[in-house]
Amino acid sequence: DTVIIDTAGRLHIDEELMEELKNIKSQVSPQEVLLVADAMTGQDAVNVSTSFNEALDIDGIVLTKMDGDARGGAALSIKAVTGKPIKFFGTGEKLEALEVFHPDRIASRILGMGDMLTFIEKAQAAFEDKQAEEMARKLLKKEFSLADFREAMLAMNKLGSLDSMTQMIPGMKQIAKDPKAIETAEKEIKKTIAIIDSMTPGERLNHTVINGSRRKRIALGSGTRVEDINRMIKNYMQMKNMMKNMG
């Protein structure tokens, strides 16, 4: 019941494009007209938004590349010259990188104070209530298996990239500035999932049965080393103990 008409894009304004857009608007009578603007283009984005608004009377703006350094200036300038609200913004190329624009939350991120409200919303969307309750129950009863550990890793992936997550958590701004640290962490998550996928159902439920020969087989199946298996199991045990103590 929703139709999105994605029109041709332009880096600069031209009359042919404007006439095309006016014709589309008159023929389709859309409920809403949104301008997608590049937050990194600075003054050009302001000029484009002004021209589009004058020609089409837009209803709102979507800002892309808001993970760049010029994010604040473009948002303020476009809002000031058009008077139209910024409705969404993008911090990446995937669908989950598109977010509803909350000015206070964006200001908090820019200042390095995090954005816990958005982080909590993403976490709630990634974990279903029943799934979260079941995981909590297993942690309290010491039943948290490697299969559950894998589900937790997959849910973390649903939250978005680690880079975007560090922007939302207070005190994590320094980590966000180190691309190598984020890249290493993302690789470890993928490696962990690959290792657990190479285990038998019995091994996932009871890691104590994983002896030396089994570790070699798992390493071969996941394209990793025995040392990686050992480290993954150690990390799993640390997380299990930490969550149990929190419980």
Side-chain angles (χ1 to χ4, degrees):
D1 60 353
T2 301
V3 177
I4 298 173
I5 299 177
D6 182 21
T7 63
R10 296 287 195 282
L11 291 174
H12 302 287
I13 303 302
D14 62 62
E15 287 304 315
E16 184 183 355
L17 170 67
M18 285 304 177
E19 284 304 313
E20 182 183 296
L21 294 176
K22 287 176 184 175
N23 290 336
I24 291 172
K25 186 175 181 180
S26 64
Q27 292 288 330
V28 178
S29 299
Q31 289 176 300
E32 198 164 46
V33 178
L34 299 176
L35 168 67
V36 181
D38 185 338
M40 296 290 287
T41 55
Q43 187 59 42
D44 279 343
V46 175
N47 297 336
V48 168
S49 58
T50 302
S51 301
F52 271 83
N53 189 46
E54 288 173 353
L56 299 166
D57 188 24
I58 62 176
D59 298 291
I61 296 138
V62 181
L63 276 179
T64 64
K65 301 181 186 175
M66 279 289 283
D67 47 336
D69 296 330
R71 51 194 173 180
L76 289 169
S77 300
I78 291 172
K79 174 71 174 74
V81 298
T82 64
K84 300 300 170 67
I86 298 169
K87 298 199 171 188
F88 300 94
F89 71 97
T91 56
E93 296 180 3
K94 294 183 180 179
L95 189 59
E96 58 265 26
L98 185 67
E99 300 178 38
V100 175
F101 186 89
H102 296 285
D104 52 341
R105 300 186 191 185
I106 292 297
S108 182
R109 286 193 208 182
I110 292 172
L111 293 171
M113 296 162 62
D115 178 5
M116 286 306 295
L117 284 174
T118 301
F119 183 76
I120 291 166
E121 286 172 3
K122 283 180 174 284
Q124 286 174 334
F127 285 96
E128 295 179 5
D129 289 343
K130 287 184 179 179
Q131 182 189 12
E133 286 173 13
E134 180 64 13
M135 200 167 285
R137 185 192 67 78
K138 287 181 177 181
L139 281 166
L140 290 172
K141 292 192 174 183
K142 303 179 184 178
E143 297 173 1
F144 190 74
S145 67
L146 281 169
D148 299 315
F149 187 51
R150 177 184 179 277
E151 289 303 310
M153 293 293 105
L154 287 173
M156 278 183 66
N157 277 342
K158 290 180 185 177
L159 293 176
S161 68
L162 283 179
D163 186 20
S164 64
M165 286 166 60
T166 55
Q167 299 283 346
M168 297 177 203
I169 303 172
M172 297 286 280
K173 193 175 181 182
Q174 288 304 118
I175 296 176
K177 289 181 179 178
D178 187 356
K180 288 186 178 178
I182 292 171
E183 187 180 343
T184 300
E186 288 179 335
K187 283 181 180 177
E188 283 300 313
I189 291 174
K190 290 178 182 177
K191 191 183 290 184
T192 295
I193 294 171
I195 289 170
I196 298 174
D197 282 346
S198 297
M199 294 178 181
T200 65
E203 289 167 346
R204 292 175 199 167
L205 291 175
N206 181 15
H207 74 280
T208 59
V209 303
I210 305 175
N211 55 24
S213 61
R214 287 179 184 236
R215 290 178 194 229
K216 287 180 181 177
R217 190 204 78 240
I218 293 166
L220 192 64
S222 58
T224 58
R225 302 170 300 167
V226 172
E227 291 89 335
D228 296 321
I229 314 298
N230 296 338
R231 185 170 62 254
M232 187 279 295
I233 292 175
K234 183 181 177 182
N235 291 339
Y236 155 69
M237 290 301 297
Q238 286 177 340
M239 179 181 175
K240 184 177 179 181
N241 291 330
M242 180 186 72
M243 297 302 285
K244 182 184 70 178
N245 292 334
M246 285 175 65

